[in-house]
Amino acid sequence: MSSNVNPAQFRLGKPLVVAIDGPSGSGKSSISREVARRLHAAYLDTGAMYRAVTLSCMEAGIDLTDSVAVEAAAENADIALSLSPDEEWVRVSGRDVTDAIREPVVSSSVSAVATTLGARAELVRRQQQLIRDSGLRIVAEGRDITTVVAPHAEVRILLTASEEARLRRRGIQLGGTQTAAALKEQVLVRDAKDSTVVDFQQAADGVVTIDSSDLDFEETVSAVLEVVFTSTH
Ligand SMILES: Nc1ncnc2c1ncn2[C@@H]1O[C@H](COP(=O)(O)OP(=O)(O)O)[C@@H](O)[C@H]1O
Ligand SMILES: Nc1ccn([C@H]2C[C@H](O)[C@@H](COP(=O)(O)OP(=O)(O)O)O2)c(=O)n1
């Protein structure tokens, strides 16, 4: 798929919140980051915030099944993250955890935080504040951005891909280090757990679905920009 959309067509100054949800490995982070670059917008990776809380809990020896303790940890966590699509960093209490939050051990545990409703409420509040602080020119991605965090966003997209494509992409991304069983655990099993608290498998009313199974990276970026264009003109 090619695109005639020129990002210059999206005027600066007008609010442009682009909300993108989808399952693991669908391309949310990488596609959203590139779309943000092209739109000269900020970029918010909300999954990084769930991961940062998870790492904090694990390091503090907090039992991830103790919802009261996990909620308190989310409320107390000192998380800072880059909102620039050109810089990737996440800090907890001033310490760089950019790589640590992507470790498989965090991926395997993060659903415990994501399914703690009190922790979600706290992170949703912070995400809404970050979106306001961006001056409402931002691409925000996660699982509940189109429905809970930014239901009134100018553009709302569900980015999907087949299980096979998502497993293949995650496997390549992790450098072929994971067994098929470990990949399934980190992608499909995690999605099943996360789906118990938020629906990111079906598009809510008004949300446009883009299936990237048969699209390459550039084609997917173009498809998102097309939706941004048609949703705002
Ligand atoms: N359309 C695509 N075709 C091929 N690879 C893709 C596509 N979209 C994303 N990728 C790659 O798949 C991997 C997973 O993407 P990522 O953005 O981390 O997904 P998510 O944030 O949804 O888990 C990354 O290495 C990314 O570069
Ligand atoms: N808005 C969000 C973002 C992420 N989550 C949860 C779901 C995921 O298991 C974790 C990590 O999210 P992340 O987007 O980094 O996950 P991926 O590995 O990219 O699929 O956080 C969520 O519940 N709500």
Side-chain angles (χ1 to χ4, degrees), residues 12 16-18 32-44 83-86 134 136-140:
L12 290 168
L16 181 58
V17 176
V18 180
S32 299
R33 189 185 295 278
E34 184 57 24
V35 167
R37 277 192 198 110
R38 304 226 189 148
L39 294 174
H40 302 289
Y43 163 65
L44 175 61
L83 293 185
S84 162
D86 296 318
S134 76
L136 300 180
R137 192 174 181 93
I138 191 164
V139 181

Side-chain angles (χ1 to χ4, degrees), residues 17-129:
V17 176
V18 180
I20 301 185
D21 289 326
S24 180
S26 60
K28 296 179 303 297
S29 308
S30 51
I31 298 291
S32 299
R33 189 185 295 278
E34 184 57 24
V35 167
R37 277 192 198 110
R38 304 226 189 148
L39 294 174
H40 302 289
Y43 163 65
L44 175 61
D45 175 357
T46 61
M49 299 173 73
Y50 286 89
R51 288 171 177 274
V53 172
T54 305
L55 182 70
S56 297
C57 288
M58 292 169 78
E59 290 184 344
I62 290 170
D63 174 2
L64 289 172
T65 65
D66 179 346
S67 55
V68 174
V70 170
E71 180 178 344
E75 284 167 0
N76 296 327
D78 173 11
I79 302 169
L81 77 172
S82 168
L83 293 185
S84 162
D86 296 318
E87 271 179 53
E88 184 181 358
W89 53 261
V90 183
R91 295 181 194 129
V92 172
S93 302
R95 182 169 63 97
D96 188 279
V97 296
T98 313
D99 296 330
I101 62 168
R102 306 283 165 202
E103 291 290 333
V105 64
V106 174
S107 300
S108 307
S109 307
V110 64
S111 294
V113 172
T115 54
T116 301
L117 297 182
R120 294 198 75 81
E122 170 64 19
L123 293 185
V124 166
R125 260 195 302 279
R126 293 193 196 192
Q127 289 155 12
Q128 290 173 331
Q129 186 64 47

